[in-house]
Amino acid sequence: MTQDDFSPADERPSKSQLKREMHALQELGERLIAMREAERDRFPLSDDLLAAIEETGRIRAREARRRHMQYVGKLMRREDLEGIQAVFDEMDREQLRRDHAFHRLEQWRDRLIENDDALEAFIADYPDVDRQALRQLIRNARRERDQGKPPTNARRLFKLIRETAEL
């Protein structure tokens, strides 16, 4: 037999590859364990894995936890990994959307403090805003900025903007 007689399909994964895959499953299990129960409910997890995740919170000894994480990794092999990854991806997209919305609100705050014209644009976008409170917070935030004081009113302005935008 020569080297050419072996096809790639005949090869089994190396021991190192199997270990890498097992560690990846354990890390996925760690991410699930670190989540709050309400977040974890979104995932398609078996009852066995949920019980193992719940059990993890009671384990304090380092070596026992390491062995338990190996068990969690073993259970992860039987799970719907594509479904779990899809939920993680959706959660990441939601977080990205929240981050973008947060940055837009920060930009509104900065524009309102820097530019008088931004006030009318903001009121046009958010007609239900408390205009008196908005103007007062803008004035106070500008005064704080000019005097080099901590941005207390800028934070209050951001809070008002966030509440107005309902985020």
Side-chain angles (χ1 to χ4, degrees), residues 43-56:
F43 290 87
L45 303 176
S46 67
D47 292 337
D48 291 341
L49 182 60
L50 287 172
I53 288 172
E54 194 175 300
E55 179 71 24
T56 305

Side-chain angles (χ1 to χ4, degrees), residues 11 34 65 73-74 76-77 80 104 139 147 152 167:
E11 294 180 22
R65 183 172 171 81
K74 181 179 176 183
M76 290 294 296
R77 284 187 250 166
D80 174 18
R104 280 193 312 274
R139 248 189 333 271
Q147 293 175 356
T152 305
L167 290 179

Side-chain angles (χ1 to χ4, degrees), residues 45-98:
L45 303 176
S46 67
D47 292 337
D48 291 341
L49 182 60
L50 287 172
I53 288 172
E54 194 175 300
E55 179 71 24
T56 305
R58 292 189 286 271
I59 298 174
R60 298 288 176 232
R62 182 180 180 97
E63 182 62 18
R65 183 172 171 81
R66 185 192 66 78
R67 284 192 312 269
H68 187 73
M69 288 312 303
Q70 287 179 334
Y71 174 65
V72 168
K74 181 179 176 183
L75 290 176
M76 290 294 296
R77 284 187 250 166
R78 292 186 253 155
E79 297 297 318
D80 174 18
L81 296 178
E82 291 175 2
I84 292 171
Q85 189 59 48
V87 174
F88 272 124
D89 292 343
E90 178 59 30
M91 291 173 82
D92 290 343
R93 283 190 297 274
E94 288 172 6
Q95 182 62 41
L96 192 60
R97 282 192 294 271
R98 282 192 301 271

